[in-house]
Amino acid sequence: MKNKKTLALLVASAAFALPALAQSSSKAELPAVQRAVHVCASCHGDEGRSKDKLAPSLAGQMREYTIRQLKDFRSQARSETDIQAYMWGISALLTDEQIEGLADYYAAQKPAAPKSRNPKLEAAGKELFFKGVPDKGVRDCASCHGDQAEGAAGFPRLAGLHPDYVYRQLRAFRTPLRPHGVLMKNETQALTETQLRELAAYVGSR
Ligand code: HEC
Ligand code: HEC
């Protein structure tokens, strides 16, 4: 029979072992995933911190969201011009396991430090991000994307995405090109061009 002290020790060591277990169930270290990461880095940057405004940062992105996007590229459901040009070909080569591994890998990378580009635009965007536009039925963005725009499960991280990329997505949600963006359609339909720019500036600065 174990005494109380050993039991307490066992409980404590189990708690320490848990993060390690979670780590080892990640598919990020699979050789086929690491080879792919190398290719992705040529556009999305080292560890998914993009220095190129064309390719969005992937570091810190929600696992579930990345999996859905890669599958949407592979099935050609997400079909903006640049996605067709850059992501359809490469995603066609990925297995489900690689997709999960890539999503594990990017979810675990540290996002780049926040960067302000246009404080005035960002301040207006912040207001919209937290309040929405109630009289037009636009909900606040924070309720789905998080108070730090850090994302949650299927709701993507927006913090640190380049404002030009974010703006293009907000426009794309008004079209049939991102069919899984249905939750975003109401939000973007009622917003003006200026408001889209302000929101893009704000989340990009986080
Ligand atoms: C030749 C350049 C290039 C390569 C290589 C590349 N990508 Fe991309 N990727 C892009 C561009 C450009 C976009 C954004 C297109 C747009 O603006 O619509 C994109 C978009 C994405 C998105 C959508 C991000 C979001 O926030 O919705 C994901 C996820 C993604 N790529 C993952 C990957 C992964 C994983 C790899 C490696 C297997 C990879 N990409 C390789 C250029 C590239
Ligand atoms: C009801 C929940 C909800 C609300 C409110 C919401 N979003 Fe989203 N948003 C989503 C979901 C879900 C997606 C992912 C869609 C997909 O899978 O293509 C998304 C995707 C996005 C993307 C694309 C990200 C990328 O990496 O390509 C942007 C940008 C975005 N939202 C901005 C906003 C802004 C700005 C607001 C506030 C005006 C907002 N969202 C409000 C649920 C929401």
Side-chain angles (χ1 to χ4, degrees), residues 177-188:
L177 301 175
R178 283 194 71 167
H180 279 135
V182 279
L183 280 177
M184 290 300 307
K185 290 210 194 302
N186 301 329
E187 309 312 315
T188 54

Side-chain angles (χ1 to χ4, degrees), residues 36 39-40 42-44 54-56 58 61 65-66 69-70 73 78 80 82-83 86-87 90 94 102 106 165 168-169 178:
V39 180
C40 317
S42 61
C43 294
H44 290 281
L54 188 66
L58 304 175
Q61 188 50 276
Y65 173 76
T66 302
Q69 299 317 304
L70 290 171
F73 302 155
R78 182 173 162 185
E80 309 102 87
D82 285 346
I83 290 294
Y86 293 101
M87 293 307 303
I90 193 165
L94 298 173
L102 286 162
Y106 286 114
Y165 171 78
R168 283 201 305 280
Q169 303 321 303
R178 283 194 71 167

Side-chain angles (χ1 to χ4, degrees), residues 50-115:
S50 176
K51 292 196 158 51
D52 178 344
K53 70 177 197 175
L54 188 66
S57 281
L58 304 175
Q61 188 50 276
M62 295 293 115
R63 175 179 193 274
E64 250 177 68
Y65 173 76
T66 302
I67 291 175
R68 190 169 63 241
Q69 299 317 304
L70 290 171
K71 290 187 174 171
D72 280 356
F73 302 155
R74 195 175 59 182
S75 68
Q76 308 190 346
R78 182 173 162 185
S79 52
E80 309 102 87
T81 313
D82 285 346
I83 290 294
Q84 292 195 29
Y86 293 101
M87 293 307 303
W88 276 14
I90 193 165
S91 62
L93 308 171
L94 298 173
T95 63
D96 283 358
E97 189 167 57
Q98 277 173 304
I99 286 180
E100 286 162 25
L102 286 162
D104 284 337
Y105 172 79
Y106 286 114
Q109 304 311 308
K110 195 170 179 279
K115 179 174 166 187

